[in-house]
């Protein structure tokens, strides 16, 4: 199969998914119609073998995750996902791999009403780059800057599950499929992000760990925060591990959860609880924005030092 046949067979399977795609895969460019009054939110992320995933990762999960981490960025801006592009570098023609990968990718795209409108296919060490485009009513994007003193700090879902999955994969012991799933098939919090437009004062998605990502909000907003660790939303497995050795590293500093962290005025609290109930997703207030710069933590009223805990960094 040449690359054109590959593309045709595995990546043109969605057909016409959206009315605003004037021209999809197959020409030199895709043509997309922007609705009037909307802004385009664009983002791109790359997954590299050995850095973002290990050799043994199921290709179907990879296809899912490559798109999910990008949709998570759109969620963190409150954008509605619309179009995506995929640049694939493959070491060889591996049809079962491509079939599974595209199933994971297109399955998630279909679920969020996203159309794959183009990309690039090349030979080389396995690398997956996805670009996404989302739509936002002009001026409504949720940025990192905007947190105000007195705002609550919130997170969606539970924290530390992807980090625990990584531990389980590295060790020879138990593997909890539900936990591994959180690492391999993260669920982008698109609906929450969209619902938070006009409510959240600052938003980010947690890809590098709560502390690292919340610090981005605080830096951009020029303020600090105090977190109450006992409020952190934990799954039973992470909770068990934390209480076992009183080590909060997992929920505070492990990455890849792709939950949203945001700040919002106390006057928005009831509406946030309403959104949480409507979407069936926990949204937990874990602390407060304050004037004193920096990120402080306390555990049941006593200061808790997070030392030099940082998130994952590629260049350090
Ligand atoms: P060109 O030579 O003009 O760059 P390509 O041969 O790279 O064109 O791609 C042909 C068509 O297939 C284009 O519409 C391109 O966007 C699309 N395409 C290529 N690779 C992928 C892919 N992995 N996923 C989706 N579309 C792809
Ligand atoms: Mg090309």
């Amino acid at each position: 199969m040449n690359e054109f046949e590959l593309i045709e067979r595995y990546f043109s399977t969605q057909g016409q998914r959206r009315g605003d795609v004037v021209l999809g895969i197959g020409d030199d460019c895709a043509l997309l119609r922007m609705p009037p009054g909307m802004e385009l939110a664009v983002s791109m992320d790359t997954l590299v073998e050995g850095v973002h995933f290990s050799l043994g990762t199921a290709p179907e999960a990879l296809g899912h995750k490559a798109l999910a981490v990008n949709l998570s960025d759109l969620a963190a801006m409150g954008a509605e996902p619309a179009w995506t592009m995929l640049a694939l570098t493959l070491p060889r023609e591996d049809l079962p791999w491509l079939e599974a990968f595209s199933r994971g990718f297109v399955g998630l795209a279909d679920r969020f009403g996203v159309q794959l409108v183009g990309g690039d296919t090349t030979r080389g060490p396995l690398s997956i780059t996805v670009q996404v485009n989302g739509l936002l009513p002009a001026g409504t994007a949720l940025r990192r800057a905007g947190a105000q003193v007195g705002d609550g700090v919130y997170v969606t879902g539970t924290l530390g599950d992807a980090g625990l999955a990584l531990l389980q994969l590295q060790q020879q012991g138990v593997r909890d499929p539900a936990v591994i799933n959180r690492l391999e098939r993260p669920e982008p919090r698109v609906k929450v992000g969209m619902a938070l437009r006009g409510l959240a004062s600052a938003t980010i998605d947690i890809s590098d760990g709560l502390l690292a990502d919340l610090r981005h909000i605080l830096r951009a907003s020029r303020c600090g925060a105090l977190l109450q660790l006992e409020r952190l939303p934990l799954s039973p497995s992470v909770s068990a591990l934390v209480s076992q050795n009183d080590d909060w590293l997992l929920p505070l500093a492990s990455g890849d959860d792709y939950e949203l962290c945001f700040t919002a005025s106390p006057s928005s609290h009831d509406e946030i609880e309403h959104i949480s109930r409507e979407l069936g997703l926990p949204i937990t207030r874990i602390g407060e924005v304050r004037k004193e710069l920096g990120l402080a933590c306390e555990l049941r009223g006593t200061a808790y030092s997070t030392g030099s805990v940082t998130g994952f960094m590629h260049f350090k």
Side-chain angles (χ1 to χ4, degrees), residues 3-4 7 11 24-30 85-88 116-121:
E3 70 187 81
F4 304 106
I7 294 162
F11 296 107
I25 294 173
D27 213 311
D28 296 311
C29 289
M85 299 188 80
L86 168 66
L88 254 188
L116 178 62
V117 295
D120 202 17
T121 307

Side-chain angles (χ1 to χ4, degrees), residues 67-142:
L67 180 58
V69 302
N70 278 278
L71 295 183
S72 176
D73 282 320
L74 291 182
M77 299 301 282
E80 179 183 354
W83 313 302
T84 184
M85 299 188 80
L86 168 66
L88 254 188
T89 304
L90 302 170
R92 65 193 159 274
E93 181 192 292
D94 180 342
L95 299 186
W97 190 96
L98 270 166
E99 193 280 319
F101 177 87
S102 65
R103 187 156 29 85
F105 189 97
V106 170
L108 187 66
D110 277 340
R111 198 144 68 70
F112 281 94
V114 175
Q115 188 169 334
L116 178 62
V117 295
D120 202 17
T121 307
T122 49
R123 189 185 292 266
L126 182 56
S127 162
I128 305 154
T129 297
V130 175
Q131 191 257 358
V132 284
N133 305 270
L135 299 171
L136 273 166
T140 65
L142 306 172

Side-chain angles (χ1 to χ4, degrees), residues 192 195-196 199 271-280 283:
V192 191
L196 288 174
L199 275 182
E271 208 166 330
I272 288 166
E273 296 212 306
H274 177 75
I275 291 170
S276 169
R277 279 193 303 276
E278 287 278 293
L279 297 179
I283 303 181

Side-chain angles (χ1 to χ4, degrees), residues 289-305:
V289 178
R290 58 181 194 174
K291 204 164 103 232
E292 299 76 53
L293 296 184
L295 180 49
C297 297
E298 57 183 34
L299 181 58
R300 290 180 282 275
T302 307
Y304 182 95
S305 167

Side-chain angles (χ1 to χ4, degrees), residues 18-50:
R18 299 176 60 93
D20 52 15
V21 177
V22 180
L23 192 60
I25 294 173
D27 213 311
D28 296 311
C29 289
L31 297 174
L32 310 167
R33 196 182 302 116
M34 275 294 290
M38 301 295 264
E39 280 168 359
L40 189 64
V42 298
S43 183
M44 176 188 273
D45 262 306
T46 296
L47 299 185
V48 176
E49 186 176 78

